[in-house]
């Protein structure tokens, strides 16, 4: 490695012997230059340990006025709602949102990023799949395009992350459930798709320890995004076996809770706060459908509006900045307890 510190692309062009226009073509789209030229550039990058200024390369992207929005599944009303809020904020800035859903698959998530790369977006707002994501590919994309991640975090990818404080929100609802009845068991997927589920599990364990209660994990088999089906199928199994350690069930998310409520109904179990009720069920997220279940679902709300606004504002600030930030920014919003009929 050469000890000379390269400060900008002009200096890199001078020491590498490769013209500035050719370098610009390469950094905008490596496949646009010949293979032999690409090899020369990559060798020079390694030799001089040069990484181009992300903002300088993306100056032309500002002219497109395109902002990519990628969510795991547009069929999920949770992501549809938060994407709608983000779109509204972006439109007010004069940029054009390009909304893409990943259909819960790694392949579609990567294809979405590749399609956005062709559009040369000014920036991208990305809610990654999480466990199923190709994290190396996401990190490589975020090196090329200004990106803010929301909902699910991928370490070291993107210039900022905006989401919910799972420690605060789970502690809030565990405390409420313990004060108003039996301490809850935690109903979750054994292999959750979204990394928030792991954070909520750890937060549940910490909250139960803080309150001097014994934690109980009930883990449901199943993978993917069909949470209601998994909640119903595994909830039916749990109710049928009748070995619940408590009459209070806290589900990792509202969609699992919706399935669990249906399983309880099919088993003839009354859920709620009445004297004839023998079970309480709560969730997390304040999913758009949670207010229409029977009984209506007690939950913790995520602040859709605040997450959408902060995500969009952060990306706009990054796009307009003259230089990249010194460190990755992380913003977490508190959840709010929503008390309804189920608990």
């Amino acid at each position: 490695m050469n000890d000379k510190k390269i400060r900008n692309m002009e200096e890199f062009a001078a020491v590498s012997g490769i013209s500035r226009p050719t370098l610009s073509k390469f950094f905008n789209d490596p496949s646009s230059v010949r293979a032999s030229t690409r090899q020369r550039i990559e060798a020079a990058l390694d030799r001089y340990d040069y990484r181009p200024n992300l903002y300088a390369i993306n100056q032309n992207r500002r002219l497109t006025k395109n902002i990519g929005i990628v969510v795991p599944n547009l069929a999920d009303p949770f992501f549809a709602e938060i994407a709608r809020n983000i779109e509204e904020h972006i439109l007010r800035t004069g940029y054009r949102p390009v909304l893409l859903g990943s259909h819960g698959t790694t392949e579609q998530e990567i294809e979405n990023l590749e399609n956005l790369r062709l559009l040369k977006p000014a920036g991208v707002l990305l809610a990654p799949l999480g466990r199923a994501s190709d994290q190396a590919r996401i990190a490589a994309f975020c090196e090329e395009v200004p990106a803010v991640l929301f909902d699910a975090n991928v370490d070291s990818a993107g210039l900022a992350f905006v989401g919910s404080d799972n420690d605060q929100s789970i502690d809030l609802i565990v405390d409420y459930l313990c004060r108003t009845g039996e301490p809850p068991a935690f109903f979750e997927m054994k292999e959750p798709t979204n990394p928030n589920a792991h954070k909520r599990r750890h937060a549940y364990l910490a909250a139960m320890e803080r309150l001097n209660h014994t934690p109980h994990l009930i883990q449901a088999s199943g993978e993917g995004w069909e949470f209601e089906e998994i909640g119903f199928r595994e909830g039916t199994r749990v109710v049928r076996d009748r070995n619940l350690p408590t009459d209070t069930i806290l589900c990792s998310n509202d969609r699992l809770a919706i399935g669990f409520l249906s399983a309880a109904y099919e088993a003839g179990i009354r859920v709620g706060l009445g004297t004839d009720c023998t079970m309480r069920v709560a969730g997390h997220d304040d999913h758009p459908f949670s207010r229409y279940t029977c009984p209506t679902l007690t939950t913790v709300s995520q602040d859709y509006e605040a997450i959408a606004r902060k995500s969009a504002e952060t990306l706009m600030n990054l796009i307009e900045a003259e230089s990249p930030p010194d460190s990755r920014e992380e913003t977490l919003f508190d959840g709010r307890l929503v008390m309804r009929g189920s608990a």
Side-chain angles (χ1 to χ4, degrees), residues 127-185:
L129 295 173
R131 186 171 62 88
S133 292
D134 185 333
Q135 299 197 12
R137 296 282 293 275
I138 288 178
F141 176 84
C142 293
E143 286 289 328
E144 299 177 23
V145 181
V148 171
L149 274 58
F150 66 96
D151 182 63
N153 202 357
V154 173
D155 291 340
S156 76
L159 297 167
F161 170 71
V162 181
S164 293
D165 187 339
N166 289 292
D167 289 337
Q168 177 271 339
S169 58
I170 289 293
D171 188 81
L172 182 68
I173 195 163
V174 168
D175 180 77
Y176 165 75
L177 293 172
C178 289
R179 284 188 290 105
T180 55
E182 291 188 10

Side-chain angles (χ1 to χ4, degrees), residues 255-312:
R255 292 183 61 189
L256 282 175
I258 290 170
F260 198 99
L261 283 175
S262 182
Y265 176 82
E266 289 287 325
I269 296 173
R270 291 188 64 85
V271 175
L273 301 171
T275 55
D276 58 342
C277 296
T278 57
M279 180 178 288
R280 297 189 303 161
V281 176
H284 190 292
D285 291 337
D286 197 20
H287 188 281
F289 292 169
S290 63
R291 69 198 66 182
Y292 304 114
T293 57
C294 185
T296 54
L297 184 62
T298 291
T299 183
V300 180
S301 70
Q302 294 198 54
D303 196 334
Y304 297 82
E305 170 62 23
I307 292 172
R309 183 181 65 254
K310 179 62 176 179
S311 298

Side-chain angles (χ1 to χ4, degrees), residues 12-145:
F12 182 63
V15 299
S16 65
I18 302 166
S19 71
R20 178 70 165 77
T22 299
L23 290 172
S24 294
K25 285 182 64 179
F26 170 82
F27 288 126
N28 282 319
D29 181 6
S31 65
S32 66
V33 301
R34 289 180 298 181
S36 59
T37 303
R38 186 161 63 247
Q39 291 172 1
R40 286 179 60 205
I41 295 172
E42 290 170 349
L45 288 170
D46 288 339
R47 179 182 178 189
Y48 295 103
D49 192 27
Y50 173 64
R51 292 296 177 268
N53 187 309
L54 175 71
Y55 291 84
I57 290 173
N58 284 291
Q59 287 294 323
N60 66 319
R61 286 194 173 98
R62 299 184 188 186
L63 301 178
T64 69
K65 291 294 184 178
N66 293 324
I67 297 291
I69 308 170
V70 183
V71 298
N73 197 332
L74 280 170
D76 186 332
F78 171 83
F79 288 110
E81 178 69 12
I82 199 167
R84 181 186 66 80
N85 277 276
I86 288 175
E87 279 188 308
E88 291 179 355
H89 286 289
I90 289 173
L91 286 168
R92 285 198 288 270
T93 68
Y95 283 81
R96 294 185 295 268
V98 179
L99 179 59
L100 300 170
S102 298
H103 307 305
T105 70
T106 309
E107 295 75 18
Q108 187 61 51
E109 183 171 71
I110 295 302
E111 184 175 336
N112 287 339
L113 298 182
E114 293 301 323
N115 288 336
L116 284 172
R117 185 182 273 111
L118 296 176
L119 292 176
K120 300 187 184 299
V124 169
L125 291 159
L126 169 63
L129 295 173
R131 186 171 62 88
S133 292
D134 185 333
Q135 299 197 12
R137 296 282 293 275
I138 288 178
F141 176 84
C142 293
E143 286 289 328
E144 299 177 23
V145 181

Side-chain angles (χ1 to χ4, degrees), residues 325-338:
D326 294 331
S327 60
R328 188 172 187 262
E329 179 183 342
E330 184 171 299
T331 304
L332 300 179
F333 289 95
D334 285 351
R336 179 176 57 85
L337 181 65
V338 181

